[in-house]
Every structure is written in structure tokens, then in C-alpha cells.
Amino acid sequence: MAAGSGRGLACLTMGPTSRETWAQRLGTFRASPSAFMAGPEGEDLGRHLLSDLRSEKLSEPTKISLLALSLEYPAQLWPDAPAAEAAATSLLDTLVLLPPRPSALRRPLLLAATTALAAGGALGPTSGASRRLLPLLLGLASGRDLGRSFGPASEQRTLQATAWECLRELESCKPGLLGGCLGLLRGLLGQEGAVQPLSLLLALALRNALVIQARARAGLQGLLVAGDWPTEGGPWNWMLAEEGDAHLQPQAPSWPAAEEGECRLATLELSPEEARELRAAVAQLLDASYLLTPVAQAQLLWLLGWALRGLRGQPPVLFKPQLVRLLGTAQLTLLHAVLALKAAFGEALFTAQDEALLLRRLTLAAQHPALPLPARLFYLHCLLNFPENWPLGPAGEEAAPLLLGSQLCRGLLPSLLHDPTALLARLHLLCLLCVEDEEKEEKGQDQSPRRYLEELLAGLRQRAALDGGPRALATLCFQASYLVARCLAGQPVVLTPLTHGLAQLYRAQPALAPHFVDLLDRVGPELGEPLKVVLRQEVVSRPGRDEALRWHLQMLARVADGDAQSATLGFLQAAAARCTDWGLQQALLQVCRALLRAGVGGGLADLLQALARQLEDPDGRDHARLYYILLAHLEEPKLGVALGPSLAAPALASSLVAENQGFAAALMVQEAPAPIRLSVGPHRAKGPVPVLQLQVEVLEQVYSLELRFRVERQIYAPLGAVHVPCLCPGRPTRPLLLPLQPRRPAPSRLAVRALYTTPSGLTCHARLPPLLVNFADLFLPFPQPPEGAELGFFEELWDSCLPKGTESRLWCPLGPHGLEALVSRHLEPFVVVAQPPTSYLIAIRLPPDSRLLLRLEAAQADGVPVALRTDDWAVLPLVGDCLRGLSVAG
Amino acid sequence: MAQRAVWLISHEPGTPLCGTVRFSRRYPTVEKRAKVFNGASYVPVPEDGPFLKALLFELRLSDDDKDFSESRDSCSHINKTSIYALLIGGEELWPVIAFMKNGMIYACVPLVEQTLFPRPPLISISGISQGFELLFGVQGFLYSGQKNDSELNTKLSQLPDLLLQTCPFGTLLDANLENSLDSINFASVTHPQKQPTWKAGTYKGKPQVSISITEKVKSMQYDKQDIADTWQVIGVVTCKCDLEGSMPNVTISLSLPTNGSPLQDILVHPCVTSLDSAILTSSSIDAADDSAFSGPYKFPLTPPLESFNLCYYTSQVPVPPILGFYQVKEEEVQLKITVNLKLHESVKNSFEFCEARIPFYNRGPVTHVEHKVSFGQLEVFREKSLLIWIIGQKFPKSLEISLSGTVTFGAKSHEKQPFDQICIGGTAYLKLHFRILDYTLTGCYADQHSVQVFASGKPKISTYRKLISSDYYIWNSKAPAPVTYGSLLL
């Protein structure tokens, strides 16, 4: 703080800025504070301002304009808490240094010091400026002699009121700050002086104290009984403020009753004595409320309503004497405050008759010709959000209160003479009545609200159709139509004439196409679907020779679909000849695009081909060609995705860029994680070639799956792709069969890639883990020899291996189940001669053209000697590994 | 209940920005609370430039309303109150109270003491009505007695100081800004005990009370079988009580003659201390019956120093003061018009002025008029496509007058001729303008016995009455005309 003053003094020595310079500087600052602060003068503005406040060369009005700036922009001048603290200190110093003659500076200085502390977040027990300001304010407010001259007596009253306001603002920003002064404030209220600021401060401090104490589960602890005055420099009771600090309290309850707050207050345990004191304090405030200005009365009621709501033993009947007086006034704030009480206390304060009376007063206020329109509109809002004692409808939705019958509403219905806002507000009410009207279905009565609604809408459409009328008229008509469609979606009897009326409007004024498109985008299918159909008819049934072609095309791009194809295409063909400029051609192509998406085929292809030849603009021709190619090459669902809105497109990109990005996303193959898992299933030894059985585990739904395989080192002939139309997770899948054509008999690895379409239509590509093909997976049996000739057949094969091939012997260890189990599990299909359990002759065909013959004879408990022959010596090491592997596998 | 910022913006169509910020005031301590209360949904109050632009766009007051703009013209962008959401820098500032009056836009942003998502209903926000009162107060101050631009500028220059008095921290203390102006002047007067805040000082001088009753009558006349004519009287009673003492008790009564029309929909000034329940419940909402309360209407009150509107009322008189019909027949470029007006015999036949204005919209300029009037004279304003039938101070003895004629129009040129969104095709109206002094249509009056003052000295009582026409339309009965729901209830 000392540093702050020091800097200020240093500045003083440089000489103050002149009045003109300040005026110009303040003007620039106000024009754009951010620009000013970023400029060269920004950094020192706060410091200069504080130092020049003490300059004797600047006039009071200039200084007041400096203070006014500090009242509005403290955050810019002193951006952090230490700076704010220093500024507040400097302002207080300036205040006490003022000579004792009358000065217009005292008041703004008090306000500025308060603002700097509160807005700068510096207010607190460790802040020296706070410790000076608070007792000073309290002393001024209570009219005590401060032991120091604060200007002449004539100024005291103004300063007193100002001090109260400063205290209230500080209490607002730091709830509980004045909790320790409640008793003192009460005492003062009974005496002479300014009733209003004191009442408001007391009500606020009382409410805050109640909430804080309730949270701490403490009582009022004698807070309402008078205590000692805090003195300047002396200790200030920060206890409540510290507790309240973390929870800035709404000064008015949010609506409907903030349950949480209510519960908290309900926990407040007041002793009978405390409850009596509290009631007395509230009654005292209410009794004097008549002396307050209407806006201040309203503030008091909101605060007290909030303070007493949910508090045990505090019946709201205290408010009752005020109500009749309040209900009679035309004052917006007062009626609003009564509604707040109604919401807070409901039946406890308003009987059914009271509620009806309040509703009537509200209704008449909402239509009273003597009140300003914004007030009437707000009353109408209140009427549709009226806090009923026993609401029937869902909370949070606008509805006509139960007691508000159509008789009461008669004066609140819309007419074409109303201004747009009033018309829409009243139209909403009319719609709500129509809902009820349908429920009641008053037959035989001609002038039902519904008929009136229809005429009103017709009038709005007639105005919207005016040539050269302002856009606001069109907007209003569509807003009204939207409102009706939303409120009365379930009433075809309303929507049908609306649909036809809108079609007529389009016929009269096609330039409203953007409004129609917007409406179609926003209404539900109840109006949207039939409207789409009639608008399409409206467009295509007319020869496209008028000026409105641009609008027709824009309209058609929104409403064209698979229906009425030939009429649509006919219209487009006729239009194509007249689409001479780029914009029209693009509009035409937009319609083609919409038709492509809708899956329109044949005729469209012809049209696109024609456009690709005939359009003048090369860009248009390119587009037409592109669409044609897409149409010719992509299937329908794919087309839909390709032409659908692109998620990748930034909002500002042109439609063409967006479109290209859409294509890029939709037509390019995307890299993706594998949607399936493949594994090699049990070996099936039959047929002319070895076939892998692939087991599929589906992770995501895929369409048009194509699996591509690549054989490592090309040991087998290239493999054909496997196609699967559709795979769904959780649905059983058949194994995929993959025939192999080995170029030599050897194990290998297959690299696998998957190409597929996602349910959203994107084409994706994924790499799957490689599949291992084991040596045993290549085994094939020889054709079965005739019965009885097996041994001879085997011996013949055995002999044929040599001399070209090779012979070997090896020891094959056996598991606990012996040889029989090993053979039956792994070699069964290849056995030619069997003498269980000890002897087997086995012949294996190894594609492309090798053979492997095994003699397993004289098995012992732990193993069997194997004699083997093959005509391909290269397989010998593989056989050893294979047999040992089989025996390990058991 | 506090405001975060207030603006006054003059609407200047045709200029690059279409408006200028004439006054703005921010409340940083309230802004700080807004940050805490609104939490993640907090949107700071913008600088004047961006605010001006966004507000004019939203209110359709910028000149670029030619093309469809989704953010403003979308059918789902519906405003049913004078409270808006402004899109500024990609964020939505809400709630912004704004309305325009006499080319000046009044705007403020009330503090919402909770999160803004989901948006709480307006009725639950105390700052809304406070914000309205602040703006109404500023408006009342700017236009009280103001006649020209330099007076407006003087008043605008007083505003910063006045708001420092009445709204130092964003919480409004008194919506009556004039009152604060007085209180600055009255500052030297010592406050006695229990002085109402809305009474800046005490009166010294001769006691006098003046009561003036002004009734406006509006009407919609169709001259059709299936549509009922409507008319309504709206009254305002203005008082000025110059009485000594800090809180003099006064009772003012309004009376009706035996055949008078009951006053309904009575709204009183907050200084009225209590109200008879018959006054509170007498309302136009109910179907009229003979049992309606017909006075005297007593208003006990403690008057403020300044002139104030004691009460507003409406009334349903049995007949409109002037009944008429208007017929327009289109014959190529000519219109044949016939007007007939009849003053009701019960109405005082002594006008300050009386005239019928007959405008022609959405047509070319008037090139030729042939006419015959049974009374008064007709003035023709060719460029404005307007006829004014000056009836004068009195209807003739028959109480019935008529006008017939043909009006010829030139070719329509879009820019110059008056446009109207109602008068499409044959739809047309004439509008009556008249004023009768010392007369009320309801019969409502105040006299020497109407004022009871519980204070020393008998005050001098002066009373005034007048009837003024307002929105008094007679529609062409040969074409469709805009109706209200009320006129369909036959």
C-alpha cells in the first residue's frame, strides 16, 4: 500500500495531465477499453488516475469523471487484488486529505473505494483498506461523529445514504459481512433517518445471516440484539463473512423453490425467543416498507420472502397486510414481487380465492392499454409461468393456468394490428386455448378459438405475400406457423389448412423459399411431410418460365425425393435450358444432388448426361459429370453417404469445398481397426487340395467384407479373395474355406487384409494379424484302395519313394494314452493299414506332388519307432518337427 | 435484482452503424457476482461497439435485413417478450432487456443469480422487473417536458450523475429519476422522522390540489353484419397535491353520475395506502352486468411532491361517441368513397377540434379529387395520398354528416408512396381525431367534495376533464378488415 502511494507521489512530481488530455483519454478509453489498455497508455492509466485525483490543478468535474471511470472499469485499471487494495488505500487517503469545505468528491470517492475493494476481490480481514473502510462507512451511515471533519453538515445526509449503499454492496459481495451488526441496524431502524437504505441493508444482512447459520447448523446466537459499534482500526467481526464467503447467495430465490436452499433453512433451529425476535424484525421492516420507493419495496419483499421461506415457526402471514395494497398497483416490480411471494409460499399465503384474484389482476395488467408494451408482455410471460398452488402440467413448461379460462383470456388474443412480439406471445396463448378447445370440443359454436386462429394465420400470410414488404412480415408469418405447428402438432384439423395456406403463399411469393426451407428444417413430420408434398407439387406443376426459377430450384432441392420423379425431372429438364448463370446452374445441380441422395435413377442419369454436355459453365459441367459417374457406379446407400452432409467440412467453407470434403470422406477408403478376428480351425483332410477352415469372430457389423490374403515367400499360388456379404456381432458365422495351392509342401504365413463397408456407408480397410499355415494343414489322404488291397497299395507306395527320395527313422515319444490316441486324433484320415494298438501304416499326400509314408510299428509304453519314407527329401526336417509336435499335443 | 450494465442507443437509420451509443454504464461489482453465480455459463458484458451491432441486428434495426439470415429470421427464433439473447463473439449474452421508444433504444442486462443453463424462466429473475423499471424511469426522465434535440442532449448529460444517485451499484433505488434530481436540490432540507423515500422534501405554501381526468376513446367500426364494432375508454387521473406536512393523509374520490359507466381495470399509484375490494375486483374481464360497482371510487393516499398518475382505468360505455361507416368502391384508377358520421346525442357537441383523416396506402399519388361534403371542408394532400375532412368545433343540428367523392390515382412508384401492411387490396380505413374539453365519456368526475385532506388548512381544489380520441378507426365495409377476437363474439 505504501508502495502504491509512493508510486502515486512519484507521478505527481511529473506533473498532472491537463483536463483536455484527460477528456480525450477517457473518450478513447470508453470507445474501446480493450484497445486502449493494449496501447501505450494502458499500463499506467490506473496509476495516473489515482495520482491526478490529488492534483490541485484539476477541477472537481474532471476528477469526478476520473472517479466515474474507476467505478465502471476497476478490473481494467487495477487488474489484481494487490493493485485493487493499493487503489482503495489511495482513494481513502485522498478522501481524508480533502479540505473540510463542501466537495462533490466525497461521495464518488466512497463509491470508488468500495467498488475497488469489492470488484478487485481485495475485501477481507487481511486487507488494510477494508479495515479502514468498513468502520468509516458504518460511522457515516449511523450519523455518528467520526472525530474528523467530513465536510459541512449539508453533505452529511448524502454521505449517510451513500455509506448505507456502500455497506449493502459489500454485504452483497461478501455475505455475512454485516452479520455482527444486525442488532445495531435494527436499533437504528427504529430511530430517525433514512428508512430505505437501512431497511434494505438489514433485510439483506438478515437473510444472509440466516442462510449462513443454517448451513453451520447454528441458531441466530443473539445476532438480532444490539451489540457494540466496530471502531476504525478496531477488530471487525469477519466470522460470518468467512463462513459465507464460499457461497455467494442469490438475493432472490430461483424459481421454482430452490429445494436445496429450502432444506438448508429448514435445518435452522431457532429458540422461541429468537423466533420471536426474528418475527418482530421482519414485521418492523414490512410495516415501514410503505415508506420505500416501489422498486425498493419490491427488493425488500424478495429478500424477506427468501429469508422466511422454509423457516420453521415463521408463518408468511406477516406479508398478508401488504398484499392488497400491492395488488392494486400498476408497478411492474411490485406485482413481480407478489408473484415471488406466491412462488415461495404457495397456499400458505394465498388461498384459492387469493390465487384467483392475483390471476385476474395479472390478466388485466397483461392487457391494460395504459401500461407500456414491454411490461404487458412480461405480465403475459408471468401468466404462462404462473406459480399455481396446485399445478397440473409438467414443471418448466409454459401453460395457461387452470383458472385462466377462455373467458379471462378474451382480451389477450392476438390480432393483426399487434406488433410482432405481442402477436407471437398472444398467439402462443391462443394455441394453448386451442389445445383445450379440442379437448372440450365445443360443437355448434362457430367462433371457436381455432377458427380465429385460422383467420389470423391467413392474414399473416396475406401480409407476407406483399410485394416489396419488409422481411420482418415474412419472418413473423413463419414464426407464427412454426409456433402453431409445435403447439398443435396433434391437430390435423389445424395443420391441414395451414399446409394449404402455406402452399398458396409460396405460389404468390416464391422469394420466400429460404423461409420455407427453414420451416421444413424445423417443424416435425406432422406439418413437414404434407407441406413437402404440396410444395413440390407447387413447384413442378408450373412451367418454369417465371423469374422465380432460382427460388423454385432452392425449394426443390429441399423437397425433392423419390416421389413424383417424372414430374420433377420434367421440370428440371425444362429449367436446364434457362439456367444460364453460374448460380442457377449450381441451384439446378443441387436439386440433382438431392435426387441422387433420394435414390432416383434412370431419368436422372439422362438429365445429368445432358447437363454434362450442355451447361455453359465448366464447373457446372464437371459437377454434372461427377454426379453422373457417382450415379452410374455407386449403389444407392453408398450414394446417400457420399452426398450427405460432411462432418469434416468447416462451417465457412463454400458448398463446393464442403461437397468435395464429403466425397473425400465417403469415397476414399479409410484405415480402421480390424472389425473381425480370424483363426485357423480344425484341419479337414479331404478333396484335391488342402483347404483352411477359417473361424470368424465378429467385432463390429460389416457389409461387403472382402478378405485378401498374401502368401509369404509365395510358397503357395496366390490366393483368391473371400467375400462375405454381411457379418453381425453375436450372430453365428459359418467358417470360411480357403483352398491352398502349395507350390511346394511347406508351412507358411498368410498376411490378411480386410476391406469392408461400415453400417454408415464408409469403406474401410484393416490389417488383420497374419495366419499361420502349419505343415500338417497341407496333409491330404490318398484315394481309398479297394478293400483287402491296402497293404499292397502301401507297400507299392513305400517302394516307389526310393531311389529318388529318402528314408529315415526317428523316435516319436508317446503320451499316457499311447499310440492309438495319437493316431486317432491327428492321423486318422491317412491310415491305410491299422493293427491297433501297436502298428499303423500311414500314407500322406503332400501337394503339389509329394508323398510321405510312415510305419509306426511295435509301439512301446513311452514311444514308438517311426520309419518314414518320402519322395521329397526337403520335407524330412519338417516331418520330424511335425511328429514331435503331434506327440507333445497328445 | 441488480443490473450488470445499462445502455441508451439512438437509432439512426441510414448511417453506417445505424445507431450510436449515447450512454452506457457498467457495474463491476455486479459483474463480479455474475461471474460467480453464472459459473461456467457466464458471458461477460461486451464493450459498447459489439453490443450495439448485435442489438441492432437482433432488433432488425440494422439496414441489412434484405437477405434471409438464419440467426435472426429463422422461424424458431421466437421472441415473446422484450428480452433477448444477443450473439456476441460466438457467445450468447442473455437476458438483455431492450425496447425502442421515440427512436431511442433502452437496454440493460440484469444479473441472474444462478447458472444460465438451462435458462431459468424470466419470471424467476428479480432483476428483470427491476431492469424494466430502470429503463422506464430513464425514459420518463428523458421525455418529460423534452421538446427538441438540445433538450435531449442536456438530459442525457445529466444521466451519469442521476444514475450515480439512483443506481450507484446497479441496484435501483428509485425509478423516478426526477425525484432524485429534486433530492439533490432538496439536500439542505433536514429530513424529519419517517419521511418517505419517494418524497424528496416538504411543500411550503398555499395548500392546493389539482385533479385532472383524461379519457381516451378508441374504436374499431366495421359496419358489417358478422363483425361487432368495438370501443373502449381508457382513463388516467393525474394529481398534484401541494400540501404542507411530511406525510399528509388525503383521500381522493372519483364519482359517476347515475347513468355513468363503471370504471374497470383500475390500477393505482403505489402511494395509495389501501383499496376497497370492489375497486380491486372490478374488471373488464367479466361479462358486464348491472351489479358492477359504480363508485364512488375512494383512494386514500399520501401524495408525493410531484405530479403523479393516481390511477388508470378502462370502461365500456354503451355506445361509441361517433358512429360511422366508410365505403370504398374501386373503379379502375378511381376510388369512389362514401363516409357517414353521426355524433351520439348524449355526447357533448363542443369539440376543441374534430377531423377525419382518410389515407390511401399502397397506391400511386392522388392526382384528382372530386367531392361533396354536407358539412366542414376537405383538404387534399396529394403527395401523402391523404384526405383530411375538417369537421370543426360542432356537428350540425342533425348530428349527422356525410362525405362522398371520387379519388383518382397516378402510377405507383415504389419508393415514395406510403406503404402499409394492413391496407392490402380494398382494405382501408379512416381515422377520427377529436378532443372535447371538460367532458368524460364515462361521466367520471371529481369536484370540490372529492378531496378530503387530514391536515391543517383547506386546500384549493381544481379539477379538469377531457376526452381525446385514440386509435379511432372506421374500416371500409366493402372489404375485409382486421378484427380482434372480441369483435367476432356476437
Side-chain angles (χ1 to χ4, degrees), chain A residues 232-255:
Chain A
E232 185 167 4
W236 182 272
N237 181 357
W238 289 91
M239 213 174 63
L240 273 184
E242 295 290 275
E243 281 181 38
D245 204 25
H247 308 273
L248 199 58
Q249 282 301 316
Q251 296 194 18
S254 52
W255 205 302

Side-chain angles (χ1 to χ4, degrees), chain A residues 34 72 107 169 251 254-255 290-291 293 299 328 336 360-361 368 398 408 428 471 479 518 522, chain B residues 26 29 47 66 70 75 77 80 113-114 123-124 129 164 172-173 197 265-266 268 271 285-286:
Chain A
S34 58
E72 286 193 68
R107 205 177 108 78
E169 195 60 15
Q251 296 194 18
S254 52
W255 205 302
Y290 171 71
L291 299 170
T293 62
Q299 290 165 21
H336 194 194
R360 292 168 67 90
R361 293 299 295 183
H368 206 293
E398 296 205 324
L408 276 185
H428 189 195
R471 182 165 299 279
Q479 286 172 335
D518 173 63
R522 280 160 217 280
Chain B
R26 285 161 177 73
T29 51
E47 292 185 0
K66 238 179 168 172
E70 190 179 313
C75 61
H77 184 76
K80 296 185 288 178
E113 299 176 320
Q114 65 187 90
I123 191 176
S124 71
S129 54
L164 206 59
L172 186 61
L173 308 178
T197 316
D265 302 343
I266 298 168
V268 299
C271 75
I285 295 166
D286 305 303

Side-chain angles (χ1 to χ4, degrees), chain A residues 43-91:
Chain A
E43 200 185 336
D44 290 332
L45 183 66
R47 207 149 44 81
H48 284 162
L49 190 149
L50 288 176
S51 64
D52 278 9
L53 282 176
R54 294 189 205 163
S55 151
E56 285 174 13
K57 294 199 176 136
L58 284 181
S59 64
E60 269 197 352
T62 305
K63 288 182 181 175
I64 289 174
S65 68
L66 296 187
L67 286 169
L69 191 78
S70 80
L71 285 175
E72 286 193 68
Y73 297 98
Q76 283 80 359
L77 297 173
W78 308 299
D80 51 23
E85 165 80 16
T89 306
S90 170
L91 290 166

Side-chain angles (χ1 to χ4, degrees), chain A residues 266-324:
Chain A
T267 62
L268 191 63
E269 291 289 345
L270 296 181
S271 68
E273 203 173 321
E274 281 177 338
R276 206 164 41 243
E277 281 298 321
L278 179 59
R279 217 160 32 238
V282 173
Q284 195 182 358
L285 285 168
L286 286 173
D287 286 348
S289 70
Y290 171 71
L291 299 170
L292 276 50
T293 62
V295 287
Q297 285 181 44
Q299 290 165 21
L300 188 79
L301 291 172
W302 279 88
L303 281 172
L304 293 180
W306 178 216
L308 292 198
R309 196 184 57 182
L311 204 56
R312 260 180 262 163
Q314 298 292 337
V317 68
L318 283 170
F319 291 102
K320 207 125 199 180
Q322 308 293 329
L323 290 180
V324 174

